[in-house]
Coordinates of all heavy atoms in Angstrom, one line a residue:
K8 N -2.4 17.8 -9.7 CA -2.3 17.1 -8.4 C -3.8 16.8 -7.9 O -4.6 17.6 -8.0 CB -1.5 18.0 -7.5 CG -1.0 17.2 -6.1 CD 0.0 18.0 -5.4 CE 1.3 18.1 -6.2 NZ 2.4 18.8 -5.5
G9 N -3.9 15.5 -7.4 CA -5.2 15.2 -6.9 C -6.1 14.6 -8.0 O -7.2 14.1 -7.6
R10 N -5.7 14.8 -9.2 CA -6.6 14.5 -10.3 C -6.0 13.3 -11.2 O -6.7 12.5 -11.8 CB -6.9 15.6 -11.2 CG -7.7 16.7 -10.3 CD -8.1 17.8 -11.4 NE -7.0 18.5 -12.1 CZ -6.9 18.4 -13.4 NH1 -7.8 17.9 -14.2 NH2 -5.9 19.1 -14.0
F11 N -4.6 13.4 -11.3 CA -4.0 12.4 -12.3 C -3.1 11.5 -11.4 O -2.5 11.9 -10.4 CB -3.0 13.2 -13.2 CG -3.6 13.9 -14.2 CD1 -5.0 14.2 -14.3 CD2 -2.9 14.3 -15.4 CE1 -5.7 14.8 -15.3 CE2 -3.5 15.0 -16.4 CZ -4.8 15.4 -16.4
T12 N -3.0 10.2 -11.8 CA -2.2 9.3 -11.1 C -1.5 8.3 -12.1 O -2.1 7.9 -13.1 CB -3.0 8.2 -10.2 OG1 -4.0 9.0 -9.4 CG2 -2.2 7.3 -9.5
I13 N -0.2 8.3 -11.9 CA 0.6 7.5 -12.8 C 1.0 6.2 -12.2 O 1.2 6.0 -11.0 CB 2.0 8.3 -13.2 CG1 2.8 7.5 -14.3 CG2 2.8 8.5 -12.0 CD1 4.1 8.2 -14.7
S14 N 1.0 5.1 -13.0 CA 1.4 3.8 -12.5 C 2.0 3.0 -13.7 O 2.0 3.4 -14.8 CB 0.2 3.0 -12.0 OG -0.8 2.8 -13.0
R15 N 2.6 1.9 -13.1 CA 3.2 1.0 -14.2 C 3.1 -0.5 -13.9 O 2.9 -0.9 -12.8 CB 4.8 1.4 -14.2 CG 5.5 1.1 -12.9 CD 6.8 1.9 -12.7 NE 7.8 1.4 -13.7 CZ 8.9 2.0 -14.0 NH1 9.3 3.1 -13.5 NH2 9.8 1.5 -14.8
D16 N 3.0 -1.3 -14.9 CA 3.1 -2.8 -14.9 C 4.1 -3.2 -15.8 O 4.0 -3.4 -16.9 CB 1.7 -3.3 -15.3 CG 1.5 -4.8 -15.1 OD1 2.6 -5.4 -15.0 OD2 0.4 -5.1 -15.0
N17 N 5.3 -3.5 -15.0 CA 6.4 -3.9 -15.9 C 6.2 -5.2 -16.6 O 6.7 -5.4 -17.6 CB 7.6 -4.0 -14.9 CG 8.2 -2.7 -14.5 OD1 7.5 -1.6 -14.6 ND2 9.5 -2.5 -13.9
A18 N 5.5 -6.1 -16.0 CA 5.2 -7.4 -16.6 C 4.4 -7.4 -17.9 O 4.8 -8.0 -18.9 CB 4.5 -8.4 -15.7
K19 N 3.6 -6.3 -17.9 CA 2.9 -6.0 -19.2 C 3.6 -4.9 -20.0 O 3.1 -4.5 -21.1 CB 1.5 -5.6 -18.9 CG 0.8 -6.6 -18.2 CD -0.7 -6.2 -17.9 CE -1.6 -7.1 -17.3 NZ -2.9 -6.7 -17.0
K20 N 4.7 -4.5 -19.6 CA 5.5 -3.4 -20.3 C 4.6 -2.2 -20.5 O 4.6 -1.6 -21.6 CB 6.1 -3.8 -21.6 CG 7.1 -5.0 -21.4 CD 7.7 -5.6 -22.7 CE 6.7 -6.3 -23.4 NZ 7.4 -6.8 -24.8
T21 N 3.9 -1.8 -19.6 CA 2.8 -0.8 -19.7 C 2.8 0.3 -18.7 O 3.0 -0.2 -17.5 CB 1.3 -1.3 -19.8 OG1 1.3 -2.4 -20.8 CG2 0.3 -0.4 -20.1
L22 N 2.7 1.5 -19.1 CA 2.6 2.7 -18.2 C 1.3 3.2 -18.3 O 0.7 3.2 -19.5 CB 3.7 3.7 -18.6 CG 3.9 5.0 -17.7 CD1 4.5 4.5 -16.6 CD2 4.6 6.0 -18.6
Y23 N 0.7 3.7 -17.2 CA -0.7 4.1 -17.2 C -0.8 5.6 -16.7 O 0.1 6.0 -15.9 CB -1.6 3.3 -16.3 CG -1.7 1.8 -16.7 CD1 -0.9 0.9 -16.1 CD2 -2.6 1.4 -17.8 CE1 -0.9 -0.4 -16.5 CE2 -2.6 0.1 -18.1 CZ -1.8 -0.9 -17.6 OH -1.8 -2.2 -17.9
L24 N -1.9 6.3 -17.0 CA -2.1 7.6 -16.5 C -3.6 7.7 -16.2 O -4.4 7.7 -17.2 CB -1.7 8.7 -17.4 CG -1.8 10.1 -16.8 CD1 -0.9 10.2 -15.5 CD2 -1.6 11.3 -17.8
Q25 N -4.0 7.6 -15.0 CA -5.5 7.7 -14.7 C -5.7 9.1 -14.4 O -5.0 9.9 -13.6 CB -5.8 6.8 -13.5 CG -7.2 7.0 -13.0 CD -8.1 6.3 -14.0 OE1 -7.9 5.1 -14.2 NE2 -9.1 7.1 -14.4
M26 N -6.7 9.6 -15.1 CA -7.1 11.1 -15.2 C -8.5 11.2 -14.6 O -9.5 10.7 -15.3 CB -6.9 11.8 -16.5 CG -5.5 11.5 -17.1 SD -5.1 12.4 -18.5 CE -6.2 11.6 -19.6
I27 N -8.8 12.0 -13.7 CA -10.2 12.2 -13.2 C -10.3 13.8 -13.2 O -9.3 14.5 -13.2 CB -10.5 11.6 -11.9 CG1 -9.7 12.1 -10.9 CG2 -10.4 10.0 -12.0 CD1 -10.1 11.7 -9.4
G28 N -11.5 14.2 -13.0 CA -11.9 15.6 -12.8 C -11.1 16.5 -14.0 O -10.6 17.6 -13.8
L29 N -11.3 15.9 -15.2 CA -10.8 16.7 -16.3 C -11.2 18.1 -16.6 O -12.4 18.1 -16.4 CB -10.8 15.7 -17.6 CG -9.8 14.6 -17.7 CD1 -10.3 13.5 -18.7 CD2 -8.4 15.0 -17.9
K30 N -10.4 19.0 -17.1 CA -10.6 20.3 -17.2 C -10.3 20.7 -18.8 O -9.5 20.0 -19.3 CB -9.8 21.2 -16.4 CG -10.0 21.0 -14.9 CD -9.1 21.9 -14.0 CE -9.2 21.6 -12.6 NZ -8.4 22.4 -11.7
P31 N -10.9 21.7 -19.3 CA -10.4 21.8 -20.7 C -9.0 22.2 -20.9 O -8.5 21.9 -22.0 CB -11.3 23.3 -21.0 CG -12.5 23.1 -20.1 CD -12.1 22.4 -18.8
E32 N -8.3 22.8 -19.8 CA -6.9 23.0 -19.9 C -6.1 21.7 -20.1 O -4.9 21.9 -20.2 CB -6.5 24.0 -18.9 CG -6.8 23.5 -17.5 CD -8.1 24.3 -17.0 OE1 -9.0 24.4 -17.9 OE2 -8.1 24.7 -15.9
D33 N -6.7 20.7 -19.7 CA -6.0 19.4 -19.8 C -5.9 18.8 -21.4 O -5.3 17.9 -21.6 CB -6.6 18.2 -19.0 CG -6.6 18.7 -17.5 OD1 -5.5 19.1 -17.0 OD2 -7.5 18.3 -16.8
S34 N -6.8 19.6 -22.1 CA -6.6 19.2 -23.6 C -5.3 19.2 -24.3 O -4.5 20.2 -24.1 CB -7.6 19.9 -24.3 OG -9.0 19.8 -23.9
A35 N -4.8 18.1 -24.8 CA -3.4 18.1 -25.3 C -3.3 16.7 -26.0 O -4.1 15.7 -25.8 CB -2.4 18.3 -24.3
V36 N -2.1 16.5 -26.6 CA -1.6 15.3 -27.0 C -0.7 14.7 -25.9 O 0.2 15.3 -25.5 CB -1.0 15.1 -28.3 CG1 -0.5 13.8 -28.7 CG2 -1.9 15.7 -29.4

């Protein structure tokens, strides 16, 4: 919370995840 933002662009059939303030525990697939 406060670091990740999800958004979508249906026209482009694309989902986004903006991530800031990344931490080592965010490491993943």
